[in-house]
Amino acid sequence: MATILSDADASSETSSPAIEVPEVVIDRLPQYVRTLTHLLEEGVEVTNSQQLGEQLQVTPAQIRKDLSYFGRFGKQGRGYRVRHLLTELKQILGLDSEWNVAVIGVGRLGNAILNYPGFNPDGFHLVAAFDNNPRNVGQEVGGIVVQPMSDLAETVTSRNITIAIVAVPSPATQSVVDLLVECGVRAILNYAPINAQVPAGVRVRSIDPVLALQSMTYYLNFPEAPVNGLRPAG
Amino acid sequence: MATILSDADASSETSSPAIEVPEVVIDRLPQYVRTLTHLLEEGVEVTNSQQLGEQLQVTPAQIRKDLSYFGRFGKQGRGYRVRHLLTELKQILGLDSEWNVAVIGVGRLGNAILNYPGFNPDGFHLVAAFDNNPRNVGQEVGGIVVQPMSDLAETVTSRNITIAIVAVPSPATQSVVDLLVECGVRAILNYAPINAQVPAGVRVRSIDPVLALQSMTYYLNFPEAPVNGLRPAG
DNA sequence: GACTGTGAAAAGTTTCACAGCT
DNA sequence: AGCTGTGAAACTTTTCACAGTC
């Protein structure tokens, strides 16, 4: 659950409701943002829970319920103004701010991340990169000069870095995460296939393609709705 | 929910129970597999729900309940034999088989995927790569010769490919997914920031680092348990 | 007439607590 | 004594259904 603070009046100002918003709801909001962004790009000005639900493969009731935690953004009989709802949701998620991000580890994966063009348009600025290996320090990767790990604490503060992307080898992950937490980083995106332990108040999300594949193989062996008769390869 | 077929006797044979296993449970099993693998590597032979729960940051009761959907793998008073439980879980998930995987799109991202060494040790074999662009067709990437999209149907069948990893630009994703489904692929790992629509019986998982970051910024603005006073950069 | 926002009901998921085995 | 496996209870999340507004 996500406890929110402050005053109760949720008129049209997207002020913070004084109630608990389920974490599953927060996890869906970025998807709503993405779909609304696409609709806006297509020139759609008004939408409704039915249409949003189709795009997102979610029931219309769920969308209405989710939005109701934060305010009344729609007009009965009409639906939602796409631009308005998008602005509100971005504000709720803190996406009206820009966020400075550090990348830890500039191996193959860290390199790919630093060169990935998808973060900046969404307000996430990769502003620093760190590595253990003296060979990598001083190199420029994706326009950023790699710094030694010993610079981390100083740079996190001076550059106001609040988010870190960890792309170091598995065995190093926990100690890097510990260091980041110590430096005040409270949001970490972890690319290593490891369950890093963090204190309460710090969030970790993991990107793990193997886990994603492994949860699908179950259904390949016991298909709910068989499409054809293919079986495992081995 | 995951409907499972066949006979009820779940003695020690990991035969399929004739009941429904919640999807959340299936999603956790790969994590159990990973933790058990680590324990085995460290030479731990016996564990218990308490220890597993600590590693996975999950309650011991949840682990016992999850496992109980599939059989009785532990010994009262003793716990679980790590190697035995690992074998059972891998079998349940279909990870005792090898799976042939195709990669669609060999741009920057597809390249990184084909060169990522993490899939093979877990039984996922990248055996084919496809691309639209004639410049890329015929090139060797990560030891695989890139084929034209027109080869897809034939190769999926002849090489018994059941899983596809889609790494094409967003606008091309839906049509590639449609084509894969038509070819009989029922498990798709999608790297594009797009919600692909698929018919029932086909599973899609998405890897989307931006969505992961966006759900964390919410908590950075309304921290449940503040660690320090850092704010957004903008 | 068409849609939202929302209490209340239903469904799903987690946790409790303890009987029972080793 | 120490742990599992599991019904039952508690809690969470989704869906229903409809009053209210545009």
Side-chain angles (χ1 to χ4, degrees):
Chain A
M1 280 293 193
T3 317
I4 315 191
L5 330 157
S6 83
D7 50 44
D9 169 39
S11 55
S12 183
E13 285 272 312
T14 317
S15 56
S16 340
I19 55 135
E20 294 231 321
V21 181
E23 205 155 325
V24 280
V25 174
I26 303 300
D27 287 353
R28 278 191 294 264
L29 296 189
Q31 296 178 228
Y32 296 175
V33 166
R34 200 162 68 181
T35 298
L36 289 164
T37 303
H38 293 326
L39 287 174
L40 200 61
E41 284 164 2
E42 288 163 20
V44 178
E45 301 206 329
V46 176
T47 187
N48 54 50
S49 59
Q50 177 77 45
Q51 182 181 31
L52 285 171
E54 274 159 29
Q55 300 266 338
L56 288 153
Q57 320 229 239
V58 151
T59 64
Q62 183 163 83
I63 289 172
R64 296 200 303 274
K65 189 66 153 184
D66 284 357
L67 297 178
S68 77
Y69 284 102
F70 301 98
R72 277 159 289 132
F73 304 121
K75 288 266 185 288
Q76 281 117 321
R78 301 217 181 288
Y80 304 92
R81 296 201 332 275
V82 174
R83 190 185 302 276
H84 174 244
L85 183 55
L86 182 54
T87 305
E88 295 278 9
L89 291 183
K90 281 184 150 181
Q91 188 179 128
I92 290 164
L93 284 169
L95 303 177
D96 50 349
S97 316
E98 306 285 309
W99 297 92
N100 289 341
V101 180
V103 176
I104 323 296
V106 294
R108 208 203 309 264
L109 195 55
N111 247 275
I113 291 164
L114 285 161
N115 285 301
Y116 175 64
F119 290 112
N120 275 275
D122 281 295
F124 296 101
H125 300 297
L126 309 187
V127 298
F130 298 89
D131 204 293
N132 229 352
N133 189 339
R135 295 172 82 105
N136 294 327
V137 173
Q139 299 280 312
E140 193 181 303
V141 180
I144 292 168
V145 177
V146 179
Q147 296 177 258
M149 288 300 286
S150 52
D151 282 9
L152 188 69
E154 209 284 305
T155 305
V156 162
T157 307
S158 66
R159 306 237 39 198
N160 195 21
I161 290 166
T162 38
I163 301 174
I165 299 179
V166 177
V168 302
S170 297
T173 300
Q174 183 64 56
S175 64
V176 166
V177 166
D178 291 346
L179 183 56
L180 286 164
V181 170
E182 219 175 282
C183 294
V185 174
R186 297 198 312 279
I188 296 171
L189 186 61
N190 169 38
Y191 276 81
I194 280 286
N195 227 299
Q197 322 269 287
V198 288
V202 180
R203 310 232 143 220
V204 180
R205 299 273 147 147
S206 287
I207 298 285
D208 191 333
V210 170
L211 279 193
L213 292 179
Q214 287 178 334
S215 62
M216 291 196 290
T217 53
Y218 176 84
Y219 299 101
L220 293 176
N221 276 332
F222 305 107
E224 285 157 90
V227 170
N228 72 17
L230 293 174
R231 294 276 81 157
Chain B
M1 277 294 190
T3 317
I4 314 192
L5 328 158
S6 83
D7 49 45
D9 169 37
S11 54
S12 181
E13 287 272 313
T14 316
S15 55
S16 342
I19 55 133
E20 293 230 323
V21 180
E23 205 155 325
V24 278
V25 174
I26 303 300
D27 286 353
R28 279 192 293 263
L29 296 189
Q31 296 179 230
Y32 297 175
V33 165
R34 201 162 69 180
T35 298
L36 289 164
T37 303
H38 293 327
L39 287 173
L40 200 61
E41 284 165 4
E42 286 163 19
V44 178
E45 301 205 330
V46 176
T47 187
N48 54 51
S49 58
Q50 177 78 46
Q51 182 182 31
L52 285 172
E54 275 161 27
Q55 301 264 339
L56 288 153
Q57 321 229 240
V58 150
T59 64
Q62 182 162 82
I63 288 172
R64 297 201 301 275
K65 189 66 154 186
D66 284 356
L67 297 178
S68 77
Y69 284 103
F70 301 99
R72 277 159 290 132
F73 303 122
K75 289 264 187 288
Q76 280 119 322
R78 301 215 180 289
Y80 303 92
R81 296 200 334 273
V82 174
R83 189 184 303 275
H84 174 245
L85 183 55
L86 182 54
T87 305
E88 296 278 9
L89 290 183
K90 281 184 149 181
Q91 190 179 126
I92 290 164
L93 284 168
L95 303 177
D96 51 349
S97 316
E98 306 285 310
W99 297 92
N100 289 341
V101 179
V103 176
I104 323 296
V106 295
R108 209 203 310 263
L109 195 56
N111 246 275
I113 291 164
L114 285 160
N115 285 300
Y116 175 64
F119 291 113
N120 275 275
D122 283 296
F124 297 101
H125 301 297
L126 309 187
V127 298
F130 299 88
D131 203 291
N132 230 354
N133 189 337
R135 294 172 84 104
N136 294 326
V137 172
Q139 299 280 314
E140 192 180 303
V141 181
I144 292 167
V145 177
V146 178
Q147 296 176 258
M149 288 300 285
S150 52
D151 282 9
L152 187 69
E154 208 284 306
T155 306
V156 162
T157 307
S158 67
R159 306 235 41 197
N160 195 22
I161 289 165
T162 38
I163 301 173
I165 299 179
V166 177
V168 302
S170 298
T173 300
Q174 184 64 56
S175 64
V176 166
V177 166
D178 291 346
L179 184 56
L180 287 164
V181 170
E182 218 175 282
C183 294
V185 174
R186 296 197 313 280
I188 296 170
L189 187 61
N190 170 38
Y191 275 80
I194 279 286
N195 229 299
Q197 322 270 287
V198 289
V202 179
R203 309 231 145 222
V204 179
R205 300 273 147 149
S206 287
I207 299 285
D208 191 333
V210 171
L211 279 193
L213 291 179
Q214 287 178 333
S215 62
M216 290 195 291
T217 52
Y218 176 84
Y219 299 101
L220 293 176
N221 275 333
F222 306 107
E224 286 155 271
V227 170
N228 72 19
L230 293 174
R231 295 274 82 158

